[in-house]
Every structure is written in C-alpha cells, then in structure tokens.
C-alpha cells in the first residue's frame, strides 16, 4: 500500500488529462487552495452522488478560494460521458496508470463487503496555496462527505 499523506507534506504534483483530453496540472492552481478527491469509477452510484455534491457546492467552495479536482482511473472518454450525463461542473481527470492515486496513498488494500481487495481508496486531500497538504482524509464515505468538508473547513 502507498504511504498516506499527512498535513505539512508537499502534495505530489501531477498532470493528467481531463474529460476533454486537456492536461490539468496541480501546479496550475498554485496560489489557490485545491480539494483533490479520489473516487473509484465514474458512472457508479456512490461516485455519482459525491461528484454531484461537489458540483452542487462548487460556488460555495470557489467563493471560499477552493478549486476542486476529481481523480479516478477512468479514461477521458468515460469522464466526458459522466460529466455530460450528470451535468457535472467539477474538473475530472483520469489516472488509468494509477500513478497519482498511488502517490497520494489513494490506491491499495481496502475492505469491500468484508473482503480485502486492492483498489481505489475513496480519499480527499486539501492542498494549500503553496502546494502543501492541509488535510488528508482516507476511507471517506461518498454520501455526506462534501457537507463534512465544508463544515470542517469552516466555510
């Protein structure tokens, strides 16, 4: 399993393709806070709920100085379908090689229905304006997670 990030760690930089195949880099967001969330798969019930919650709260988060990037192992074509089908406004990027997922500690062993499996660990990392980890949350729930983040960040 990958090492999990802790507050104060330098967030691993990344450049990944978004739903349109355009390259998105964490470095492009320097000077703003970024919520990077990791989810298992586009077009699945839990991931759809989480992405819709982020979309519904995007104005509130942006108003407080936060950008939001969702990372999954999906290819851009699937991300585009996900965005269109669910009318998502969050930036979605794909990491089919799972390099960024591993770098953030969001890929590895987890329990699923009582069994130990290897896969994406639903996680959220809040990165500050200088690129350092402010918060790192692992094994989060899809439902209610965005409301909890907003409350915890005092927004």
């Amino acid at each position: 399993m990958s090492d999990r990030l802790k507050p104060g760690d330098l967030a691993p930089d990344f450049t990944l393709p978004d739903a349109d195949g355009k390259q998105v880099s964490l470095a492009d967001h320097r000077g703003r806070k970024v919520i990077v969330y990791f989810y298992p798969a586009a077009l699945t019930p839990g991931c759809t709920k989480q992405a819709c919650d982020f979309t519904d709260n995007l104005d509130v988060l942006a108003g407080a100085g936060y950008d939001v990037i969702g990372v999954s192992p999906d290819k851009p074509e699937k991300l585009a379908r996900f965005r269109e089908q669910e009318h998502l406004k969050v930036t979605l990027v794909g990491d089919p090689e799972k390099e960024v997922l591993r770098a953030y500690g969001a890929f590895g062993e987890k329990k699923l229905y009582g069994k130990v499996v290897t896969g994406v660990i639903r996680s959220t990392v809040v990165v500050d304006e200088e690129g350092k980890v402010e918060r790192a949350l692992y094994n989060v729930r899809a439902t209610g997670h965005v409301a909890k983040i907003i409350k915890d960040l005092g927004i």
Side-chain angles (χ1 to χ4, degrees):
M1 181 168 131
S2 306
D3 288 336
R4 293 187 168 180
L5 298 174
K6 299 176 294 315
D9 288 350
L10 192 59
D13 201 9
F14 61 81
T15 301
L16 293 169
D18 70 5
D20 299 313
K22 181 178 155 259
Q23 297 296 312
V24 173
S25 294
L26 182 61
D28 296 341
H29 296 267
R30 203 63 32 87
R32 284 185 59 84
K33 293 185 178 196
V34 185
I35 296 170
V36 184
Y37 79 97
F38 300 89
Y39 63 100
L43 300 167
T44 59
C47 298
T48 297
K49 173 75 177 124
Q50 188 177 24
C52 287
D53 282 353
F54 271 116
T55 291
D56 292 347
N57 289 285
L58 203 55
D59 290 342
V60 170
L61 292 164
Y66 291 87
D67 294 334
V68 179
I69 301 172
V71 182
S72 74
D74 298 306
K75 291 189 162 68
E77 303 78 40
K78 187 174 181 187
L79 295 174
R81 274 198 323 277
F82 188 33
R83 181 186 63 198
E84 301 311 314
Q85 187 174 314
E86 301 299 334
H87 310 287
L88 301 173
K89 294 187 178 104
V90 293
T91 300
L92 301 173
V93 297
D95 181 22
E97 306 302 319
K98 301 173 189 75
E99 290 173 9
V100 175
L101 286 156
R102 283 187 180 92
Y104 276 77
F107 188 86
E109 283 188 358
K110 63 180 184 173
K111 278 199 172 158
L112 187 65
Y113 306 113
K115 288 183 155 177
V116 175
V117 297
T118 299
V120 176
I121 299 162
R122 193 180 301 276
S123 311
T124 301
V125 176
V126 180
V127 181
D128 71 14
E129 299 90 341
E130 282 93 50
K132 289 199 170 137
V133 174
E134 190 175 293
R135 293 169 191 260
L137 310 162
Y138 293 93
N139 296 308
V140 301
R141 296 193 178 280
T143 305
H145 180 60
V146 175
K148 183 179 179 345
I149 289 173
I150 289 170
K151 182 178 177 232
D152 290 352
L153 293 174
I155 300 172

